[in-house]
């Protein structure tokens, strides 16, 4: 689409507000704390430990974004405010199976009532707008009024630009396997959960995972991490990792993976 600059701009904020920190944290687990991204059991442990926290961060971002005033047709009101005004004016919409709002309308009526954001793209004969093949030359209208923020977002600008430089047909990203090591043994899963809970209650920190103070390089635990960014991974971004948040999560990882290894030796 040539009219999706707002969602592309949203991805910039998603990365800046919380995704970059998680990304840097996982890279640091690889570098310092023995995370093996090719081990599906390790990936399952990450899900077990942090998926709820990631979802909570996502929900927090969603709530903050929906409270942000919108310019233009939004008249400096937030989506939450517009939703409330709509409910007060028209009532609460509770139809569990709503019909198609566009049913019975012509294309002209739909365009007139719903419209599009940005300049209209004029297609040549034979072009349906359903997409171009890899060998088709696409003509795009670039937005001229999109502010992507400070220099920190330069790498994200490359992602936005890719929408306009013919990069629609990039190969699919292969998803890593995530495999519960205890899927066939509810008993051992219970042992894992209970053992991890006891270790965390006792505050026991296993050796050999780089989280004990004696294992820190130069006697200090790092409060930041550099991540590669940009389509060619040619840039480095410094991401701050607040010690009070991210070091306890690294300790939780070390405790969980140590319990996992001990159980696997007994299975």
């Amino acid at each position: 689409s040539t009219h999706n600059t707002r969602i592309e701009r949203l991805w910039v904020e998603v990365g800046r507000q919380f995704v970059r920190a998680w990304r840097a944290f996982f890279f640091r687990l690889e570098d310092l704390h023995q995370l093996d991204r090719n081990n599906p059991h390790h990936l399952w442990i990450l899900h077990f430990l942090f998926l709820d926290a990631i979802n909570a961060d996502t929900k927090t971002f969603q709530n903050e974004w929906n409270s942000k005033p919108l310019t233009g047709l939004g008249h400096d009101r937030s989506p939450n405010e517009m939703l409330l005004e709509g409910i007060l004016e028209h009532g609460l919409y509770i139809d569990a199976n709503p019909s198609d709002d566009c049913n019975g309308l012509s294309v002209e009526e739909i365009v007139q009532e719903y419209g599009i954001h940005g300049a209209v793209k004029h297609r040549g004969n034979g072009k349906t707008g359903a997409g171009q093949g890899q060998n088709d030359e696409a003509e795009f209208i670039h937005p001229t009024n999109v502010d992507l923020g400070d220099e920190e977002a330069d790498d994200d600008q490359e992602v936005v630009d890719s929408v306009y430089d013919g990069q629609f047909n990039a190969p699919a990203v292969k998803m890593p396997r995530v495999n519960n090591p205890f899927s066939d043994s509810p008993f051992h899963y219970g042992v894992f959960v209970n053992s991890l809970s006891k270790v965390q209650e006792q505050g026991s920190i296993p050796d050999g995972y780089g989280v004990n103070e004696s294992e820190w390089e130069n006697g200090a635990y790092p409060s930041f991490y550099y991540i590669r960014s940009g389509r060619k991974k040619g840039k480095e971004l410094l991401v701050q990792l607040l010690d009070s948040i991210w070091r306890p999560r690294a300790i939780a990882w070390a405790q969980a993976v140590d319990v996992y290894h001990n159980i696997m030796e007994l299975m």
Side-chain angles (χ1 to χ4, degrees), residues 78-245:
S78 71
N80 288 336
E81 290 172 329
M82 289 188 285
L83 174 62
L84 178 59
E85 289 179 7
I87 292 175
L88 294 176
E89 182 177 355
H90 303 290
L92 185 63
Y93 188 72
I94 58 175
D95 189 350
N97 296 292
S99 58
D100 186 354
D101 290 342
C102 298
N103 188 28
L105 298 179
S106 66
V107 174
E108 291 76 14
E109 290 172 326
I110 293 174
V111 171
Q112 180 180 356
E113 297 298 330
Y114 287 86
I116 58 175
H117 174 70
V120 177
K121 176 181 176 181
H122 299 283
R123 299 185 175 88
N125 293 332
K127 296 293 185 179
T128 66
Q132 287 81 20
Q134 291 185 352
N135 298 323
D136 292 340
E137 182 178 353
E139 297 180 359
F140 299 105
I141 300 174
H142 287 254
T144 58
N145 58 349
V146 179
D147 178 15
L148 287 177
D150 54 28
E151 294 181 358
E152 188 182 73
D154 286 347
D155 61 303
D156 301 290
Q157 173 67 63
E158 295 185 18
V159 177
V160 178
D161 289 341
S162 69
V163 177
Y164 304 101
D165 64 7
Q167 300 299 318
F168 281 90
N169 298 298
V173 176
K174 184 178 180 180
M175 298 298 294
R177 290 192 306 119
V178 178
N179 186 11
N180 181 351
F182 312 114
S183 58
D184 296 330
S185 178
F187 170 76
H188 287 99
Y189 174 77
V191 171
F192 171 79
V193 173
N194 293 330
S195 299
L196 178 58
S197 178
K198 290 180 180 179
V199 168
Q200 291 175 335
E201 289 177 2
Q202 296 169 358
S204 176
I205 302 177
D207 293 324
Y209 294 95
V211 290
N212 271 315
E213 186 173 353
S214 60
E215 299 172 316
W216 299 349
E217 185 177 352
N218 300 322
Y221 191 75
S223 60
F224 62 89
Y225 190 88
Y226 285 98
I227 60 175
R228 293 283 182 180
S229 189
R231 278 181 290 168
K232 297 182 180 180
K233 305 300 180 184
K235 299 180 181 179
E236 284 190 341
L237 290 177
L238 186 150
V239 180
Q240 297 289 342
L241 296 174
L242 189 63
D243 188 77
S244 60
I245 295 176

